[in-house]
Amino acid sequence: MEIRVVDNTRDISCDVLIINKFEGKQTSNPLVNRFAPETFTGKKGEIFVIHTQKEYPSTYILAIGLGKEQEVDNSVIRENIAKAVKKCIEMKAKTIAFDIETDYAFGECAIIGASIANYHFDKYKTKKEHRISELYISRVSSEIIETSKIIADSVKLARNLANEPAAFATPSKLAEIAQGLEGIKTVVYDESKIKELGMNAYLAVAKGSVEPPKFIHMKYTVDNPKKRIAIIGKGLCFDSGGLDIKPPASMLNMRDDMSGAACVLAVMKALVKLKPDVEVHGIIAACENMPSGSSYKPGDILTAKNGKTIEVDNTDAEGRLTLADALCYACELGVDEVVDIATLTGACMVALGTAASGIMGNNDEFVSDLVKIGASSGEKYWQLPMWQEYRDNMNSDVADMKNTGTRYGGASAAGMFLKEFVTDSVKWAHIDIAGTAFLEKPNKEFCKGATGAGVRTLLSYITR
Ligand code: BES
Ligand code: MG
Ligand code: ZN
C-alpha cells in the first residue's frame, strides 16, 4: 500500500473517502452533515457507507464512529481505522483517503493500523486477495509518515516470515536473511562453533533435525551509544515436540515457533532506518525440534553455556533450552539490558488468550516500562509472577534443574527457568508471545495467522 500525502484529501478522486464522527458531538465536518444520516451517532465502531452519486470526487464516503472524543486514544484510532479499512477491502476499494477530524495526533496509529488491516499472506496463492493499493492522507508531517511506514513495514516483514512454511523459513534461511541486512553486522555460528562456545543445551534441541542449527548474532551500532541492548528471539523454525511429540492439532501451526526470531530480524532491519542512539544486538539461536534417531532424549543431562546442568524432563520444552544459551551469550556481551521474546508456553496462551502477551523479568521497573511502551504502541502485556515456588518444582535429583515442573503455572515456571541463565547485573525482561503471535481467527486489526507480535513494542522501546 502506497501512502501519499496531499494538501486536502477531500479533493482526491478515490474509491472511498473515510470520515469520522465523535459520539454526541456536533461536527464541523460538512461531509458528515451532508452524507451521514441523523441515525449515525458516532458510536465507537459504527460504520455508515454511502455512494456519492458523482456529487463528490470520491465514489463512496465511509463514516466511522470514534466514540466519545475525550475517550479517544491510540488504540481507538488504530482499531477503528482498521475496521474502516477492512470494510473498504470488502467493498473492493483500491484507493482510499482519510479525512479524519481530530486534534488527537492520529497519523502514526492510522497509518500503522491501516497497514496491519490491509495485510494478507498470499505469496503462495495463484489468485491474489484483493487489497488496497493507495492511501491518501493529509495534515500529517512527512517525518511521522516516514517513521510510520518503517514501523508498518517491519511488522509486515515479521508477519511474512512467521507465516512462511517451515520448509522455507529454515534456520539457514533466517541466517541468510540476517546476513543480507544492510547496515547490520551479522555473524552466524554453525554447529562446530556452537559446540566450541559451550551452547550444549541449544545444540541438544537441534540434534534431531536434518536442518543444521544457525546461531545468528546481528549488531547495530552508533558512535557513543547511550546504552547497549540485546534482543533475543526464540527461533524454533519448527517445533514438533521432538521425541515427546505433539498431537497433530498442537503441531499444526508450529512453524510460528520462530515468531520471536521474526520479530528480532524485522526490528534489526528497521533500526538501520530509524537510527536510534543505542547499540542493539539481535540474537537468534535458530534450529528445529524434530524426532529422529539422533534426537535428544528425556533423561539426557545437558550443560548450558554458564555451566549449569539441566535434566531433560520433556523434549517439548525446547525453547527455554535454546534461550538459556542465548541469554548466557547475550549477558557475556556486557549489555545493559536484555529482552527475550518467545512463543514459549501453551500455559501463557491459556492464561491470557490472544489478548495479551505475558511479561516477566528481574527488574520490576524495567518490566513496567515495557508494559507502558507496549500499551501506547498497540500491544498489551500482562506481568506474570516470578516466585520461588515455580522454580522449586523444577528441582532435579541428578542435575541443577529439570526443564519442566508441574503442569500448572507453566509460563512463570519457564520464566524462572530462563532466569537461571541471566547475569543479575543485567536488566532482563522475558516476553511470552505464545498466545499473541499467531491467530487462528481474525481479531481486531489482524487477519488469521502471524501478527508480528512485539515489533511495535521493541521498536518503540529502542527508539524512544
Ligand atoms: N512452542 C511451544 C509453545 C507454544 C504453544 C507456542 C502453543 C505457541 C502456541 C513450546 O515449545 C512448548 O511446546 N511448550 C510446552 C511446554 C511443556 C512441555 C512444559 C507447552 O506449552 O505445552
Ligand atoms: Mg515445544
Ligand atoms: Zn516451542
Side-chain angles (χ1 to χ4, degrees):
M1 185 172 62
E2 286 296 321
I3 294 158
R4 303 199 195 287
V5 196
V6 290
D7 282 345
N8 194 343
T9 46
R10 290 184 198 172
D11 304 333
I12 297 297
S13 59
C14 59
D15 297 329
V16 187
L17 177 67
I18 298 172
I19 61 176
N20 73 293
K21 184 179 157 112
F22 295 108
E23 191 176 355
K25 190 191 170 195
Q26 206 45 40
T27 171
S28 57
N29 187 339
L31 294 183
V32 176
N33 299 325
R34 180 164 157 204
F35 289 105
E38 285 285 305
T39 48
F40 182 76
T41 60
K43 237 179 40 214
K44 208 184 286 174
E46 192 181 354
I47 286 186
F48 175 79
V49 183
I50 188 167
H51 196 289
T52 62
Q53 305 297 343
K54 302 214 161 64
E55 282 181 39
Y56 210 74
S58 68
T59 313
Y60 289 93
I61 285 193
L62 184 155
I64 177 94
L66 292 182
K68 300 211 171 65
E69 190 170 18
Q70 60 275 19
E71 288 168 16
V72 167
D73 63 11
N74 287 358
S75 53
V76 170
I77 301 277
R78 203 180 296 107
E79 284 166 26
N80 289 289
I81 287 289
K83 193 166 177 188
V85 168
K86 282 189 175 179
K87 181 74 189 171
C88 294
I89 296 169
E90 242 177 76
M91 290 162 62
K92 299 272 188 282
K94 279 258 162 228
T95 53
I96 64 170
F98 289 153
D99 180 25
I100 307 292
E101 284 230 309
T102 164
D103 294 336
Y104 192 83
F106 86 107
E108 183 170 319
C109 307
I111 293 170
I112 297 172
S115 161
I116 289 177
N118 197 42
Y119 174 86
H120 187 80
F121 184 69
D122 59 5
K123 178 176 161 188
Y124 297 97
K125 280 200 164 233
T126 50
K127 190 169 174 293
K128 302 298 180 199
E129 297 269 323
H130 174 83
R131 281 300 181 265
I132 288 154
S133 51
E134 275 169 83
L135 164 66
Y136 292 91
I137 196 161
S138 37
R139 297 191 302 277
V140 179
S141 74
S142 55
E143 201 184 325
I144 289 194
I145 304 251
E146 258 327 291
T147 316
S148 310
K149 273 206 272 196
I150 295 167
I151 299 171
D153 283 349
S154 182
V155 174
K156 186 173 161 185
L157 171 62
R159 295 175 88 181
N160 278 343
L161 286 173
N163 276 325
E164 281 285 359
F168 175 92
T170 59
S172 305
K173 188 73 189 182
L174 298 188
E176 187 191 314
I177 294 169
Q179 277 164 323
L181 294 179
E182 259 171 64
I184 298 287
K185 272 201 228 139
T186 301
V187 262
V188 175
Y189 300 134
D190 59 16
E191 207 166 333
S192 59
K193 184 74 186 178
I194 296 167
K195 196 174 282 171
E196 200 184 305
L197 290 170
M199 300 200 270
N200 297 306
Y202 162 42
L203 213 51
V205 175
K207 267 171 53 178
S209 174
V210 292
E211 289 292 341
K214 299 285 170 185
F215 187 89
I216 306 164
H217 178 179
M218 296 161 274
K219 185 176 172 186
Y220 162 84
T221 23
V222 285
D223 291 336
N224 309 312
K226 65 173 190 230
K227 66 177 164 185
R228 303 174 67 223
I229 297 173
I231 52 176
I232 305 175
K234 172 173 171 182
L236 260 291
C237 293
F238 193 75
D239 179 14
S240 69
L243 289 177
D244 288 313
I245 197 161
K246 289 179 184 292
S250 310
M251 203 193 296
L252 187 61
N253 289 329
M254 277 304 132
R255 69 175 184 287
D256 87 325
D257 216 17
M258 41 62 80
S259 297
C263 168
V264 167
L265 274 169
V267 165
M268 294 308 289
K269 182 167 182 183
L271 290 183
V272 181
K273 296 182 197 146
L274 294 170
K275 302 189 179 59
D277 249 356
V278 285
E279 179 174 300
V280 184
H281 298 264
I283 295 166
I284 300 167
C287 67
E288 286 187 338
N289 186 21
M290 297 293 279
S292 81
S294 59
S295 293
Y296 79 132
K297 305 170 190 75
D300 281 356
I301 298 173
L302 317 171
T303 306
K305 190 168 181 12
N306 65 352
K308 292 192 182 176
T309 57
I310 307 158
E311 177 191 359
V312 178
D313 188 52
N314 189 317
T315 62
D316 198 11
E318 84 299 333
R320 64 196 72 183
L321 297 172
T322 66
L323 290 172
D325 281 331
L327 283 164
C328 295
Y329 180 94
C331 289
E332 284 179 22
L333 296 172
V335 291
D336 308 301
E337 295 168 2
V338 175
V339 180
D340 77 74
I341 177 156
T343 44
L344 203 62
T345 66
C348 188
M349 193 172 186
V350 170
L352 304 174
T354 59
S357 305
I359 189 165
M360 54 212 104
N362 63 1
N363 183 305
D364 280 342
E365 209 182 308
F366 184 44
V367 169
S368 348
D369 254 8
L370 287 166
V371 173
K372 281 190 208 116
I373 291 167
S376 68
S377 48
E379 300 186 294
K380 287 200 185 84
Y381 297 91
W382 192 258
Q383 188 174 0
L384 299 171
M386 297 275 276
W387 290 320
Q388 186 58 32
E389 285 89 332
Y390 301 113
R391 173 63 187 81
D392 291 343
N393 289 329
M394 290 182 289
N395 285 338
S396 160
D397 294 334
V398 289
D400 297 339
M401 70 200 92
K402 294 188 290 187
N403 71 334
T404 64
T406 67
R407 233 154 57 77
Y408 306 117
S412 286
M416 288 305 283
F417 179 91
L418 295 181
K419 191 167 181 277
E420 296 284 339
F421 305 91
V422 177
T423 309
D424 285 336
S425 57
V426 179
K427 283 188 199 170
W428 161 69
H430 157 60
I431 299 177
D432 193 333
I433 52 169
T436 50
F438 200 92
L439 299 174
E440 279 163 29
K441 52 178 201 279
N443 183 17
K444 290 185 180 159
E445 55 261 65
F446 297 100
C447 59
K448 268 172 77 165
T451 61
V455 171
R456 287 174 287 165
T457 306
L458 289 188
L459 281 177
S460 170
Y461 150 63
I462 294 166
T463 58
R464 80 191 147 145

